[in-house]
Amino acid sequence: MYVTNKIKSMSDFKFHLGTYNYKLLLIVLLMFTGYLPTVSSQAYFQQDVAYKIDVTLNDKRHELSAFEKVEYTNNSPDTLQFLYFHLWPNAYSNNKTELAKQLFTLKGREKLFKNPELRGYIDSLNFKINDLSVRWDYLPNQPDICKIWLNTPLMPGQKIVISTPFHVKIPKGVTSRLGHMEESYQISQWFPKPAVYDRNGWHPMSYLDQGEFYSEFGTFDVSITLPDNYVVAATGELQNIHELEKLNALAKDTAWKSIAMLGKVKHITSSAQTKTLRYTGKNMHDFAWFTDKQFNVMKGKVVLPESGKVVTTWVMCTNRQSRLWKKSLEYANQAILGFSNLIGDYPYSEFIVVQSALSAGLGMEYPGLTVIGVTKNAYTLDEVITHEIGHNWFYAALGSNERRYPFMDESITSNYQERYMTNKYPNKKLWEIILKKKKQAKFLHADKMPARQMEELAWLIPARNNLEQPVNLASTDYSSGNYNQMIYSKASMDFSYLRAYLGDSVYDEAMHAYYRTWKFRHPQPDDLRTVFESHTDKDLDWFFDDLIGTAKRLDYKIVRRENHRLLAKNNGELVSPVVIAGINADSICFEKWIDGFSGEKWIDIPQGNYTELKIDPNHVMPELFRLNNNIRTAGIFPKSDPVVHQLLVGIEDPEKHSIMYIPAINWNRENGFMLGLAMYNGLLIPKPFEYLFIPFYTFNNSSLAGFGKISYNITPYNKLIRLAKITFEGTRFGAPGNQNYNKLKAGLEINFRPNKANSPIRQKIYGHYLLASDLYQIENIEPVNMNSYIQLGYNLEKSSLVNPYNLLVAFESGASFQKAAVDFNYKLSYPGRNNGLEIRLFAGTMIRNTSPNSFYALAPSGRSGRDQYLYEGTFPDRFGKFSTSFWSRQMTMNEGGLVSPVNDQLGYSNWLMSLSLSSNLPWKAGRIGVKPFVNLLLNDHGLGTNQNSPFFGEAGFKIDLWNLFEIYFPLLVTANIQSINSSIKNRIRVVLNLDFSKQGQIGRGN
Ligand SMILES: [Zn+2]
C-alpha cells in the first residue's frame, strides 16, 4: 500500500490500512517499538527549503522551460529515506488525476483533459541529489506527486541539494488556478515542490480545485526570462533596478485612469527582445507570478503601526473594469493597515494586487500577492481584495495545513474580512449587494437587513435542512455547497461568537499572540486553542470541542418573564454561552452574557426602561431559530413576532414570519380560465412548518378550485434520519358534467442521512394515504364516492451531474387491487456536456385485481389524464378523449411508458416489463432538443395473431422544449400498435413537466 493524499497523520494511517488484522498487527508492532504515543507529541520542528529557479516563458507555445535547485534541510529528529515532491501541473494531465476526478464530481466535466488546449503537465524532469542521479517514481494514479528515494539517508540536521530541469505546458486558464488566456499568464502551483514533513509525518497531497495547500517555509530566488514588453507581478522583491524604474514610470503615467476604457483590451505583439527579472523572497511557502503586456501599474505604500516599517504596495491591472480598479490601491492600503492594527504588522515588505483574466473564482492568495478576477461592483472588489489581504496572516505567515483544516485559514480570514468591512461600511445593507435599486429592496422588505447578515442566510439553508457538518473537517470532506456554507459562512460566524463572548480586547490580544508565536510556522488547531486558553480564565471547551468539532445546533429560547427574571430554555444540543439584551425601540439598553446551560434556567434581568428582551439581537451567535428569541414587556401576546407580507420571493428575515404571495393563472377545459393567488411562507430557508396554498376562482362555473399543502419537518440531530416530513395535501378541480374531482393525501416521507455528506446518493422511504374521487363515477357523471389508496415506496437516488440515476420500488393498494413495481432511470452521460443516453427500465405486477374497472391494472402506455385514477400532474384537458384536442394528447411517462395510445384498445396488463431508451444526437447536433427514442414492452397478453402479440415496440423522436414540454413522434411501431393506430398523426403525444409533487407515484419515470 502507498500513502495517498488523504493521509495526514499517524492515526489516519492506521485507519487507512484497512483490514482489522493489519491494524492490530501494527498496533502490536508500535507497542514493541515504543511508538504508540502519536508522532504529534514530538517537539515542534520545521524543515527548511531554499529554492533557486531559472525559468523562461515561451508565449508562442504557452510553455515554461526551467531549472530548479532546492536546498533542503532536515530539522526533524527523524532520518529520512525518501522525499515527496509535488508536480502539480500534472493535475491537468489526464482524466484520472485527483483534480479531474473532483471536477468530474463537482462540475461534471468528464473528458476535460482530453482537450489538448485544457491539458497541462510538467515533464523533462531529471531529479538529482547533490548532483547524483536518484531513483524517483510517480505515485500510482497520482502523477502530480512523486517519491524521490535518497541514495543515502538524510540524517537529522543534514542538508541536501535536489535539482531538476523541468518543462511545463500551461493549460488554457478556464479550469483552475494555473493557466493562460491568450498571452495573459497566471503561473501558480507550477514548480516541483517538496511536501511538508512535520510532527505528523509526510503530507503529500494532489492538486485540487476545492481544497488548498500546505508547503514548507523557505527562501526563493527566481529568475524569469520573457519578452521585454511584459509586465510581471510576482511574489517577493524585484531585484532589477532598471525594471523597477520602468514600473515606477508606468505608475506615474496616470493617463489610463482618465479615459473610460472599460473592456478595451487590445492585442500587443510580444517584443523579440527578452529580459530576465530576478525576484527574491524569504519566510515564504509559495511563489507565483502573473504576466500580461496590458498591465497598468499603480504604486503606493503603507507605514506599519507597530514597527514603523514601510510596505510597498502595487496594483497591476488591465483596462478591463478600470473604473472599478482606480480605487483598488486605496482598498489594499487600507486593508493592510486595518489588519496590521487588528492582528499585528503585515509580514512582508511588498504587496501586489493583480488582476486576472482567468475565471477561477473571485480571488486567490499567494504570499504578498493576490490575484483578483472580475467583480460586480466597487464594494465587492474591496471585499475580495480585503479577504485576500487577510490571507497574508492566515495562510502566508501562519502556514497551517489548509487542505486538512480549511477553517484555520479561510474561516478566520472570512471573519476578519467581515469585521473590517462592517467597520468600514457600517450602514451597508444586504440588498445593495444583490439588488440594483432601493425600490426593489423595499418591495421585497429587504431594505433594512445589514450586509453582514449574508453569512447567516447562506448558512441557514444547509442548517435548516439538517445537512450541517463540523467546521474542522478536511476540504475534501465537504460537499461543494457545504464547503462554502460551513467554512466561509458558519465558521466565520463561530469566530464572531467567540469574539463577542471574550470581548474585543481579549480576543485581539489572543490573536496577536497567536500571530507572534506562530508567524512563519505551521500551527495546528490545538496551537490556536492553547493560545486562546492562556488568554482567558473562561472555559472555551464549548468553542473548540463542540462548536468547531461537531455539528451540534444552537437554539436558545425565551419561555417567559416574571418581574426581573427571565426563564430561558436550551432547545439545541450545543451548551454554549448566550447573550440576552434589553431593547427599547431600536437601541440596546443592556447586554448580559450567561454561560451555557442545558434545560431551563432562570436569569436575573437588570432593572431598566426597555420594551423587549431578546436573545442575541446583534446576530453574533449561529442561532438556528430566532422566532423564539424574544419577548415583549407589554402586550397581550408578548412572544408574537412581526409578520411580513410580501410579493414574490423575498429575502427572509429569520426574526419575522414571512407570508409571500404570487398571483397565479391557470386553465383547464372544465374550469375554464382561473385566477388565483399562491401563498407560502418562504421558499429559500426551510422551516419546521411550511405551507403552500393556490386557490383559484374559476370563470366557467364561478366556483373555487385549487391546491393546498401543509408540511411539518422533523430534523433530529445526528441520527440515521435526516428529515422526516409529514404532509397533508388537498386538490380540487373541475370534471365533466359540472362536477369536481377531489383528492386528499396524507404522507410521511423519511429521508435518510447520507453516510458521507459529500456523497451524491440519497435514500428515502415514504407512505401515503390517499382519498380520491372514483374515476369511473366521474367519467360517467354518477354520484361520486371517495376511494382510498395506500402507497409505500423506497427511493434511491444519485443526483450527480454525471451518470445520475433514480430507483423507485413502489407498492400501491386500493380496495380492489394491489400492485408492485420497480422503476429505474439512468442517464449515461456523454463527454463534456449535459447530454447522455437515458435509460428507463420498468417492471410491474398486479398482486391482486378484482376491480371491474380496467384502469387500475398496469398501463402499457404512459397514462393520460383520463386513466389516472389518482389525478396526478397538471392536465389542462384531463378528461378529453384522445386526439380530440391538443391537450387530450397529454400523457405522463409512467408504468409501461409506450407513447402510442394502446391502453384503451389493447387493454391493461397483469404484469409488464419495459425498456425505454432516448439519446441526444451526437456531436453538435446534441445541443438541439431533438432526441431519438426506442420503447420496448412485454406484457401478459398471450401469444396469438400478430395483433395480439405481447411484444410491443416503437421508435421515433421527441422534441424537448425548454425542459417543459416534450412532443413525441412514434414513427415506427410493431404490428399490434399499427393495427390500432395506423397513422403517425394519431400517435403523437405530449408530456408537460409541471408537477407540484413528483414523488410517490407508482411507476413514475422522470
Ligand atoms: Zn480565502
Side-chain angles (χ1 to χ4, degrees), residues 212 363-365 387-388 391 409-411 413-414 488:
E212 294 180 334
M364 182 64 200
E365 68 275 13
H387 177 95
E388 304 306 341
H391 276 304
D409 63 304
E410 290 306 343
S411 310
T413 299
S414 297
Y488 289 81

Side-chain angles (χ1 to χ4, degrees), residues 649-862:
V649 183
I651 299 164
E652 295 168 51
D653 185 340
E655 290 192 5
K656 292 166 186 163
H657 290 288
S658 293
I659 303 179
M660 300 180 189
Y661 308 93
I662 300 181
I665 51 166
N666 197 355
W667 182 89
N668 70 38
R669 201 173 57 149
E670 281 71 30
N671 295 118
F673 178 68
M674 291 175 265
L675 195 62
L677 193 66
M679 275 179 285
Y680 50 96
N681 64 336
L683 290 176
L684 220 54
I685 300 171
K687 295 158 193 73
F689 178 74
E690 294 173 330
Y691 59 84
L692 164 68
F693 296 106
I694 320 181
F696 289 104
Y697 176 77
T698 71
F699 285 83
N700 259 11
N701 48 1
S702 305
S703 75
L704 281 176
F707 172 82
K709 179 177 180 174
I710 54 174
S711 35
Y712 185 68
N713 299 320
I714 303 159
T715 50
Y717 171 68
N718 215 8
K719 293 272 169 14
L720 177 69
I721 295 172
R722 176 181 68 82
L723 167 69
K725 205 176 189 68
I726 299 164
T727 55
F728 296 95
E729 270 178 54
T731 311
R732 174 194 182 96
F733 283 102
N738 214 9
Q739 309 172 92
N740 283 310
Y741 72 84
N742 296 296
K743 179 178 155 185
L744 294 166
K745 180 173 170 183
L748 172 66
E749 179 188 294
I750 293 173
N751 294 271
F752 295 100
R753 189 176 290 281
N755 56 352
K756 272 177 143 186
N758 57 4
S759 158
I761 294 174
R762 297 283 180 271
Q763 294 183 77
K764 71 178 173 199
I765 54 172
Y766 62 82
H768 299 149
Y769 177 74
L770 297 108
L771 287 170
S773 301
D774 186 296
L775 180 63
Y776 180 83
Q777 292 165 338
I778 285 273
E779 288 200 322
N780 291 287
I781 317 187
E782 292 173 6
V784 181
N785 293 321
M786 295 289 273
N787 294 336
S788 64
Y789 307 88
I790 286 171
Q791 294 177 326
L792 301 170
Y794 164 77
N795 188 220
L796 173 73
E797 188 181 10
K798 184 186 167 209
S799 60
S800 54
L801 285 159
V802 177
N803 303 339
Y805 64 76
N806 190 313
L807 171 73
L808 180 70
V809 181
F811 169 80
E812 187 178 289
S813 175
S816 54
F817 75 93
Q818 284 162 350
K819 64 170 116 172
V822 179
D823 190 347
F824 180 65
N825 286 270
Y826 179 79
K827 180 161 136 183
L828 181 69
S829 299
Y830 295 155
R833 306 212 166 273
N834 291 329
N835 300 343
L837 174 68
E838 284 162 33
I839 302 165
R840 175 171 182 258
L841 274 166
F842 177 84
T845 182
M846 299 303 294
I847 300 166
R848 184 171 74 92
N849 190 3
T850 58
S851 172
N853 296 325
S854 58
F855 53 72
Y856 290 120
L858 290 158
S861 285

Side-chain angles (χ1 to χ4, degrees), residues 330-522:
E330 191 187 312
Y331 298 152
N333 290 347
Q334 288 172 349
I336 289 171
L337 190 62
F339 285 146
S340 296
N341 280 319
L342 287 175
I343 312 159
D345 274 0
Y346 175 81
Y348 302 109
S349 58
E350 307 248 343
F351 181 75
I352 308 182
V353 187
V354 52
Q355 189 188 47
S356 154
L358 276 75
S359 55
L362 283 176
M364 182 64 200
E365 68 275 13
Y366 298 94
L369 183 150
T370 175
V371 58
I372 309 283
V374 173
T375 51
K376 277 190 299 194
N377 50 41
Y379 178 83
T380 312
L381 181 62
D382 192 359
E383 187 176 62
V384 179
I385 290 176
T386 298
H387 177 95
E388 304 306 341
I389 284 175
H391 276 304
N392 282 288
W393 285 263
F394 305 98
Y395 148 79
L398 297 157
S400 55
N401 184 341
E402 301 175 281
R403 182 72 57 87
R404 175 59 192 89
Y405 297 111
F407 87 89
M408 292 189 76
D409 63 304
E410 290 306 343
S411 310
I412 302 178
T413 299
S414 297
N415 182 261
Y416 274 103
Q417 162 218 321
E418 187 273 311
R419 181 176 174 185
Y420 171 89
M421 292 298 283
T422 305
N423 236 344
K424 184 168 175 180
Y425 302 91
N427 299 316
K428 191 79 180 171
K429 301 292 181 221
L430 186 110
W431 69 265
E432 296 177 68
I433 304 166
I434 49 181
L435 299 168
K436 284 213 172 77
K437 290 182 180 146
K438 187 160 189 181
K439 259 190 198 162
Q440 297 170 327
K442 273 209 149 141
F443 182 68
L444 296 173
H445 294 269
D447 53 321
K448 294 210 172 70
M449 213 178 279
R452 61 178 292 262
Q453 224 175 310
M454 187 81 106
E455 276 181 346
E456 183 184 359
L457 296 180
W459 156 73
L460 275 175
I461 295 166
R464 294 275 186 89
N465 272 310
N466 205 6
L467 285 168
E468 279 197 88
Q469 291 175 269
V471 302
N472 67 349
L473 303 182
S475 316
T476 45
D477 292 332
Y478 295 99
S479 62
S480 59
N482 265 8
Y483 185 61
N484 287 319
Q485 289 146 349
M486 291 292 121
I487 294 301
Y488 289 81
S489 299
K490 168 71 191 314
S492 168
M493 290 163 67
D494 290 348
F495 280 93
S496 294
Y497 185 15
L498 178 65
R499 179 161 62 87
Y501 173 63
L502 291 176
D504 282 3
S505 67
V506 172
Y507 183 91
D508 290 343
E509 259 172 48
M511 214 44 113
H512 259 92
Y514 172 56
Y515 176 52
R516 261 196 322 271
T517 315
W518 287 97
K519 194 175 171 183
F520 308 136
R521 302 170 84 200
H522 300 303

Side-chain angles (χ1 to χ4, degrees), residues 7-217:
I7 290 161
K8 306 289 169 359
S9 67
M10 209 55 201
S11 56
D12 279 352
F13 182 62
K14 281 185 278 184
F15 176 74
H16 276 263
L17 270 170
T19 67
Y20 178 73
N21 283 344
Y22 219 6
K23 203 158 123 183
L24 197 70
L25 181 72
L26 187 80
I27 291 169
V28 172
L29 274 174
L30 290 171
M31 280 165 75
F32 271 102
T33 50
Y35 264 93
L36 202 54
T38 58
V39 183
S40 57
S41 65
Q42 285 187 0
Y44 182 85
F45 66 84
Q46 80 188 31
Q47 308 295 64
D48 190 55
V49 287
Y51 294 89
K52 186 163 188 326
I53 306 174
D54 292 290
V55 57
T56 304
L57 169 70
N58 180 333
D59 68 346
K60 299 284 168 296
R61 300 170 57 91
H62 309 302
E63 288 175 353
L64 303 174
S65 38
F67 191 86
E68 171 183 272
K69 263 187 185 181
V70 190
E71 198 178 86
Y72 184 95
T73 310
N74 180 14
N75 293 325
S76 83
D78 309 320
T79 300
L80 301 180
Q81 308 287 346
F82 57 82
L83 308 171
Y84 283 108
F85 258 65
H86 292 143
L87 307 169
W88 284 330
N90 274 348
Y92 305 81
S93 64
N94 68 58
N95 286 315
K96 288 192 179 121
T97 65
E98 297 291 319
L99 172 65
K101 283 192 248 172
Q102 188 184 60
L103 292 170
F104 175 83
T105 319
L106 300 182
K107 297 177 181 171
R109 297 181 183 177
E110 192 178 8
K111 300 288 192 235
L112 191 63
F113 302 132
K114 281 218 164 138
N115 179 345
E117 271 207 315
L118 299 181
R119 198 159 60 206
Y121 50 81
I122 181 167
D123 63 6
S124 308
L125 293 155
N126 182 15
F127 285 105
K128 288 188 175 172
I129 292 194
N130 299 338
D131 288 329
L132 295 172
S133 290
V134 281
R135 184 191 144 195
W136 63 278
D137 308 301
Y138 293 106
L139 295 197
N141 301 317
Q142 284 177 291
D144 57 349
I145 307 174
C146 74
K147 191 171 183 177
I148 303 174
W149 300 88
L150 303 179
N151 292 333
T152 47
L154 181 61
M155 308 298 281
Q158 276 186 346
K159 83 176 51 161
I160 46 173
V161 175
I162 305 125
S163 64
T164 183
F166 65 96
H167 162 260
V168 175
K169 154 81 170 53
I170 305 162
K172 189 177 172 186
V174 293
T175 307
S176 195
R177 301 175 185 94
L178 167 68
H180 73 93
M181 295 303 269
E182 305 300 329
E183 287 166 10
S184 178
Y185 294 88
Q186 184 161 327
I187 310 299
S188 61
Q189 284 87 29
W190 59 285
F191 57 93
K193 194 176 187 187
V196 173
Y197 186 77
D198 71 8
R199 297 173 268 181
N200 303 101
W202 280 105
H203 298 271
M205 53 183 74
S206 275
Y207 178 89
L208 290 178
D209 195 60
Q210 177 182 308
E212 294 180 334
F213 313 102
Y214 187 33
S215 305
E216 299 286 12
F217 282 98

